[in-house]
PDB file of all heavy atoms in Angstrom:
ATOM      1  N   LYS A 106       2.332   8.528  -5.468  1.00 98.00           N
ATOM      2  CA  LYS A 106       1.925   7.637  -6.522  1.00 98.00           C
ATOM      3  C   LYS A 106       0.720   8.341  -7.226  1.00 98.00           C
ATOM      4  O   LYS A 106      -0.204   8.779  -6.569  1.00 98.00           O
ATOM      5  CB  LYS A 106       1.496   6.308  -6.016  1.00 98.00           C
ATOM      6  CG  LYS A 106       1.028   5.268  -7.036  1.00 98.00           C
ATOM      7  CD  LYS A 106       2.181   4.781  -7.873  1.00 98.00           C
ATOM      8  CE  LYS A 106       2.916   3.715  -7.077  1.00 98.00           C
ATOM      9  NZ  LYS A 106       3.917   2.962  -7.856  1.00 98.00           N
ATOM     10  N   PHE A 107       0.737   8.435  -8.560  1.00 98.00           N
ATOM     11  CA  PHE A 107      -0.332   9.083  -9.285  1.00 98.00           C
ATOM     12  C   PHE A 107      -1.203   7.947  -9.929  1.00 98.00           C
ATOM     13  O   PHE A 107      -0.756   7.247 -10.742  1.00 98.00           O
ATOM     14  CB  PHE A 107       0.234  10.009 -10.364  1.00 98.00           C
ATOM     15  CG  PHE A 107       0.746  11.275  -9.811  1.00 98.00           C
ATOM     16  CD1 PHE A 107       1.914  11.338  -9.083  1.00 98.00           C
ATOM     17  CD2 PHE A 107       0.105  12.493 -10.022  1.00 98.00           C
ATOM     18  CE1 PHE A 107       2.427  12.512  -8.554  1.00 98.00           C
ATOM     19  CE2 PHE A 107       0.575  13.690  -9.486  1.00 98.00           C
ATOM     20  CZ  PHE A 107       1.723  13.682  -8.763  1.00 98.00           C
ATOM     21  N   TYR A 108      -2.464   7.939  -9.465  1.00 98.00           N
ATOM     22  CA  TYR A 108      -3.366   6.880  -9.975  1.00 98.00           C
ATOM     23  C   TYR A 108      -4.146   7.439 -11.195  1.00 98.00           C
ATOM     24  O   TYR A 108      -4.618   8.562 -11.176  1.00 98.00           O
ATOM     25  CB  TYR A 108      -4.368   6.439  -8.863  1.00 98.00           C
ATOM     26  CG  TYR A 108      -3.700   5.959  -7.652  1.00 98.00           C
ATOM     27  CD1 TYR A 108      -3.911   6.579  -6.445  1.00 98.00           C
ATOM     28  CD2 TYR A 108      -2.799   4.895  -7.685  1.00 98.00           C
ATOM     29  CE1 TYR A 108      -3.328   6.130  -5.276  1.00 98.00           C
ATOM     30  CE2 TYR A 108      -2.203   4.441  -6.534  1.00 98.00           C
ATOM     31  CZ  TYR A 108      -2.472   5.081  -5.322  1.00 98.00           C
ATOM     32  OH  TYR A 108      -1.839   4.651  -4.172  1.00 98.00           O
ATOM     33  N   MET A 109      -4.309   6.571 -12.157  1.00 97.00           N
ATOM     34  CA  MET A 109      -5.062   6.930 -13.367  1.00 97.00           C
ATOM     35  C   MET A 109      -5.820   5.689 -13.915  1.00 97.00           C
ATOM     36  O   MET A 109      -5.513   4.568 -13.571  1.00 97.00           O
ATOM     37  CB  MET A 109      -4.061   7.380 -14.501  1.00 97.00           C
ATOM     38  CG  MET A 109      -3.322   8.655 -14.227  1.00 97.00           C
ATOM     39  SD  MET A 109      -2.452   9.162 -15.707  1.00 97.00           S
ATOM     40  CE  MET A 109      -3.812   9.610 -16.774  1.00 97.00           C
ATOM     41  N   THR A 110      -6.729   6.027 -14.789  1.00 97.00           N
ATOM     42  CA  THR A 110      -7.349   5.040 -15.605  1.00 97.00           C
ATOM     43  C   THR A 110      -7.257   5.514 -17.058  1.00 97.00           C
ATOM     44  O   THR A 110      -7.155   6.711 -17.301  1.00 97.00           O
ATOM     45  CB  THR A 110      -8.873   4.831 -15.264  1.00 97.00           C
ATOM     46  OG1 THR A 110      -9.516   6.062 -15.326  1.00 97.00           O
ATOM     47  CG2 THR A 110      -9.009   4.211 -13.855  1.00 97.00           C
ATOM     48  N   ILE A 111      -7.245   4.605 -17.968  1.00 96.00           N
ATOM     49  CA  ILE A 111      -7.115   4.929 -19.378  1.00 96.00           C
ATOM     50  C   ILE A 111      -8.385   4.507 -20.115  1.00 96.00           C
ATOM     51  O   ILE A 111      -8.783   3.360 -20.062  1.00 96.00           O
ATOM     52  CB  ILE A 111      -5.900   4.237 -20.045  1.00 96.00           C
ATOM     53  CG1 ILE A 111      -4.600   4.572 -19.251  1.00 96.00           C
ATOM     54  CG2 ILE A 111      -5.758   4.621 -21.512  1.00 96.00           C
ATOM     55  CD1 ILE A 111      -4.136   6.009 -19.279  1.00 96.00           C
ATOM     56  N   TYR A 112      -9.029   5.462 -20.783  1.00 93.00           N
ATOM     57  CA  TYR A 112     -10.209   5.195 -21.583  1.00 93.00           C
ATOM     58  C   TYR A 112     -10.070   5.687 -23.023  1.00 93.00           C
ATOM     59  O   TYR A 112     -10.714   5.170 -23.897  1.00 93.00           O
ATOM     60  CB  TYR A 112     -11.447   5.938 -20.983  1.00 93.00           C
ATOM     61  CG  TYR A 112     -12.001   5.257 -19.776  1.00 93.00           C
ATOM     62  CD1 TYR A 112     -11.689   5.631 -18.490  1.00 93.00           C
ATOM     63  CD2 TYR A 112     -12.876   4.160 -19.882  1.00 93.00           C
ATOM     64  CE1 TYR A 112     -12.188   5.032 -17.372  1.00 93.00           C
ATOM     65  CE2 TYR A 112     -13.361   3.549 -18.713  1.00 93.00           C
ATOM     66  CZ  TYR A 112     -13.026   4.014 -17.465  1.00 93.00           C
ATOM     67  OH  TYR A 112     -13.566   3.359 -16.402  1.00 93.00           O
ATOM     68  N   ASP A 113      -9.261   6.734 -23.245  1.00 91.00           N
ATOM     69  CA  ASP A 113      -9.280   7.343 -24.564  1.00 91.00           C
ATOM     70  C   ASP A 113      -7.961   8.106 -24.772  1.00 91.00           C
ATOM     71  O   ASP A 113      -7.051   8.058 -23.928  1.00 91.00           O
ATOM     72  CB  ASP A 113     -10.457   8.281 -24.646  1.00 91.00           C
ATOM     73  CG  ASP A 113     -10.540   9.302 -23.510  1.00 91.00           C
ATOM     74  OD1 ASP A 113      -9.477   9.563 -22.834  1.00 91.00           O
ATOM     75  OD2 ASP A 113     -11.638   9.814 -23.228  1.00 91.00           O
ATOM     76  N   SER A 114      -7.886   8.848 -25.816  1.00 90.00           N
ATOM     77  CA  SER A 114      -6.650   9.596 -26.159  1.00 90.00           C
ATOM     78  C   SER A 114      -6.406  10.702 -25.179  1.00 90.00           C
ATOM     79  O   SER A 114      -5.246  11.050 -24.929  1.00 90.00           O
ATOM     80  CB  SER A 114      -6.685  10.135 -27.601  1.00 90.00           C
ATOM     81  OG  SER A 114      -7.839  10.955 -27.819  1.00 90.00           O
ATOM     82  N   TRP A 115      -7.460  11.295 -24.589  1.00 89.00           N
ATOM     83  CA  TRP A 115      -7.239  12.309 -23.577  1.00 89.00           C
ATOM     84  C   TRP A 115      -6.552  11.706 -22.346  1.00 89.00           C
ATOM     85  O   TRP A 115      -5.696  12.297 -21.739  1.00 89.00           O
ATOM     86  CB  TRP A 115      -8.581  12.976 -23.203  1.00 89.00           C
ATOM     87  CG  TRP A 115      -8.435  13.898 -22.023  1.00 89.00           C
ATOM     88  CD1 TRP A 115      -9.119  13.824 -20.835  1.00 89.00           C
ATOM     89  CD2 TRP A 115      -7.597  15.042 -21.898  1.00 89.00           C
ATOM     90  NE1 TRP A 115      -8.730  14.839 -19.928  1.00 89.00           N
ATOM     91  CE2 TRP A 115      -7.768  15.620 -20.549  1.00 89.00           C
ATOM     92  CE3 TRP A 115      -6.616  15.642 -22.695  1.00 89.00           C
ATOM     93  CZ2 TRP A 115      -7.105  16.697 -20.113  1.00 89.00           C
ATOM     94  CZ3 TRP A 115      -5.947  16.795 -22.245  1.00 89.00           C
ATOM     95  CH2 TRP A 115      -6.183  17.246 -20.936  1.00 89.00           C
ATOM     96  N   SER A 116      -6.972  10.475 -21.949  1.00 93.00           N
ATOM     97  CA  SER A 116      -6.296   9.831 -20.824  1.00 93.00           C
ATOM     98  C   SER A 116      -4.842   9.636 -21.117  1.00 93.00           C
ATOM     99  O   SER A 116      -3.975   9.843 -20.289  1.00 93.00           O
ATOM    100  CB  SER A 116      -6.930   8.441 -20.555  1.00 93.00           C
ATOM    101  OG  SER A 116      -8.279   8.532 -20.294  1.00 93.00           O
ATOM    102  N   LEU A 117      -4.479   9.245 -22.348  1.00 94.00           N
ATOM    103  CA  LEU A 117      -3.089   8.993 -22.709  1.00 94.00           C
ATOM    104  C   LEU A 117      -2.360  10.326 -22.728  1.00 94.00           C
ATOM    105  O   LEU A 117      -1.134  10.365 -22.348  1.00 94.00           O
ATOM    106  CB  LEU A 117      -3.037   8.290 -24.102  1.00 94.00           C
ATOM    107  CG  LEU A 117      -3.574   6.882 -24.110  1.00 94.00           C
ATOM    108  CD1 LEU A 117      -3.676   6.404 -25.544  1.00 94.00           C
ATOM    109  CD2 LEU A 117      -2.693   5.959 -23.242  1.00 94.00           C
ATOM    110  N   GLU A 118      -3.000  11.364 -23.157  1.00 93.00           N
ATOM    111  CA  GLU A 118      -2.353  12.714 -23.194  1.00 93.00           C
ATOM    112  C   GLU A 118      -2.010  13.146 -21.761  1.00 93.00           C
ATOM    113  O   GLU A 118      -0.889  13.641 -21.481  1.00 93.00           O
ATOM    114  CB  GLU A 118      -3.258  13.798 -23.896  1.00 93.00           C
ATOM    115  CG  GLU A 118      -2.595  15.101 -24.016  1.00 93.00           C
ATOM    116  CD  GLU A 118      -3.532  16.076 -24.781  1.00 93.00           C
ATOM    117  OE1 GLU A 118      -4.118  15.672 -25.813  1.00 93.00           O
ATOM    118  OE2 GLU A 118      -3.614  17.232 -24.312  1.00 93.00           O
TER     119      GLU A 118
END
Side-chain angles (χ1 to χ4, degrees):
K106 181 73 78 171
F107 285 71
Y108 304 122
M109 293 189 68
T110 56
I111 305 293
Y112 284 96
D113 54 21
S114 57
W115 171 239
S116 302
L117 293 170
E118 185 177 316

